[in-house]
């Protein structure tokens, strides 16, 4: 019986000790968790902000102006070769513009002039007609004046005077065209000369280096091509102006011829009626 009580007492003691140990461990774990949670609570929460994404800066390429491009190509083509070509363009354009202004001022309304001359012949005779033509500008009026001045010598002299003075007026209209034609031919030739000289320089560089390399010959070939292009462009521009001038002169000459024939008819009619 005593052994049974002793055994129960031993089991009870073990049970109590186990429960006390379990409570102690639970308390320790609870205190540890509370300490950890308090430590976590005390630590400031640092929010990681995302690093700003650096956007690549847009590369704004400014387009070079037309004048800047021309300037750059002029420098790259070597001023020694490009300057003569540029002078051909400037002088040729100056002559062409002067001729255009002169020819436009020389244009006359021949129908109106003939009507005025006919009215003057019928009312005041040859002297009145000469007064009208002298006060009118243009080659047609000048030819009329020369023909009327020969009226006293007969119709044949009037016709000869008109033909002779018509040739003089035609020469005045064509003044300066030979220079424009010269620059049309000269500009491409100067460009080709720059081409030849540039190629010679390229081959000299190859000979000096003893090797064919694109970097060696690129400069000479570039000069050659730029001078050729410049000469051709100048020739094309001046050719357009030249053709316009020729067509304008042909138109004025046709007007002079038609008006001269009409004037002779008027003079014949006036002489017969008087």
């Amino acid at each position: 019986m005593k052994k049974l009580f002793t055994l129960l007492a031993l089991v009870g003691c073990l049970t109590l000790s186990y429960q006390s140990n379990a409570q102690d461990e639970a308390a320790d774990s609870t205190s540890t968790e509370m300490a950890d949670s308090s430590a976590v609570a005390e630590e400031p929460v640092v929010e990681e902000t995302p690093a700003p994404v650096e956007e690549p800066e847009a590369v704004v390429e400014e387009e070079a102006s037309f004048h800047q491009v021309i300037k750059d190509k002029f420098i790259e083509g070597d001023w020694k070769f490009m300057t003569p070509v540029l002078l051909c363009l400037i002088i040729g354009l100056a002559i062409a513009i002067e001729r255009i202004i002169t020819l436009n001022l020389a244009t006359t309304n021949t129908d109106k002039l003939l009507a005025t001359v006919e009215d003057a012949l019928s009312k005041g005779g040859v002297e009145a007609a000469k007064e009208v033509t002298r006060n009118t500008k243009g080659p047609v009026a000048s030819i009329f004046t020369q023909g009327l001045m020969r009226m006293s010598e007969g119709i044949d002299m009037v016709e000869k005077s008109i033909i002779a003075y018509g040739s003089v007026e035609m020469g005045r209209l064509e003044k300066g065209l030979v220079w424009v034609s010269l620059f049309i031919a000269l500009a491409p030739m100067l460009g080709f000369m720059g081409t030849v000289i540039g190629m010679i320089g390229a081959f000299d560089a190859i000979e000096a280096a003893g090797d064919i390399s694109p970097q060696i010959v690129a400069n000479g070939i570039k000069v050659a091509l730029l001078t050729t292009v410049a000469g051709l462009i100048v020739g094309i521009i001046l050719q357009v102006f030249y053709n316009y001038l020729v067509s304008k002169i042909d138109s004025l000459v046709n007007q002079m011829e038609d008006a001269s024939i009409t004037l002779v008819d008027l003079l014949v009619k006036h002489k017969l009626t008087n």
Side-chain angles (χ1 to χ4, degrees), residues 10-274:
L10 180 61
V11 171
C13 291
L14 291 174
T15 303
L16 291 174
S17 62
Y18 175 78
Q19 289 179 353
S20 63
N21 290 331
Q23 290 177 357
D24 294 335
E25 289 178 0
D28 293 337
S29 62
T30 304
S31 61
T32 303
E33 289 177 358
M34 292 178 63
D36 294 337
S37 61
S38 63
V40 171
E42 291 177 358
E43 291 180 2
V45 179
V46 179
E47 296 181 356
E48 295 183 357
T49 57
V53 179
E54 296 183 357
E55 296 180 356
E57 297 181 356
V59 180
V60 180
E61 296 182 357
E62 296 182 356
E63 295 184 359
S65 63
F66 178 76
H67 298 286
Q68 186 63 37
V69 172
I70 296 297
K71 180 181 178 181
D72 293 339
K73 296 302 179 184
F74 182 86
I75 296 173
E76 292 174 1
D78 196 342
W79 66 272
K80 294 189 294 296
F81 304 123
M82 300 293 281
T83 300
V85 178
L86 180 61
L87 290 176
C88 290
L89 176 62
I90 294 173
I91 299 174
L93 282 179
I95 297 173
I97 293 172
E98 185 272 334
R99 285 288 87 199
I100 290 173
I101 295 173
T102 301
L103 294 176
N104 287 328
L105 293 176
T107 303
T108 307
N109 189 344
T110 55
D111 294 335
K112 182 179 179 181
L113 179 61
L114 286 170
T116 306
V117 170
E118 184 177 7
D119 185 64
L121 285 173
S122 60
K123 293 180 179 180
V126 176
E127 293 299 326
K130 284 194 289 186
E131 189 67 22
V132 171
T133 57
R134 284 171 181 169
N135 294 329
T136 305
K137 296 181 180 180
V140 176
S142 299
I143 293 173
F144 283 6
T145 303
Q146 293 297 322
L148 292 171
M149 291 174 63
R150 302 292 182 181
M151 183 62 184
S152 59
E153 301 177 13
I155 297 298
D156 292 338
M157 288 301 299
V158 171
E159 291 180 353
K160 291 179 180 178
S161 177
I162 288 174
I163 293 172
Y165 201 74
S167 300
V168 174
E169 289 294 333
M170 187 183 300
R172 290 178 180 176
L173 294 176
E174 294 177 348
K175 179 183 177 182
L177 284 185
V178 64
W179 293 107
V180 179
S181 178
L182 171 65
F183 293 129
I184 291 173
L186 189 61
M189 287 192 291
L190 290 173
F192 289 136
M193 184 176 69
T195 300
V196 174
I197 294 176
M199 296 302 294
I200 291 173
F203 283 110
D204 287 341
I206 294 172
E207 183 181 5
D211 185 18
I212 300 177
S213 174
Q215 294 180 350
I216 297 175
V217 299
N219 188 28
I221 295 176
K222 188 174 185 179
V223 171
L225 296 177
L226 287 174
T227 54
T228 302
V229 171
L232 292 175
I233 291 175
V234 171
I236 291 171
I237 294 173
L238 294 181
Q239 186 68 52
V240 172
F241 281 92
Y242 180 82
N243 288 351
Y244 172 79
L245 293 173
V246 170
S247 64
K248 187 68 175 179
I249 291 172
D250 290 341
S251 176
L252 290 173
V253 170
N254 290 331
Q255 288 181 5
M256 288 190 297
E257 292 177 351
D258 294 339
S260 299
I261 294 172
T262 305
L263 177 65
V264 172
D265 294 338
L266 290 176
L267 293 177
V268 171
K269 178 181 176 181
H270 173 73
K271 187 174 182 180
L272 292 176
T273 55
N274 286 337

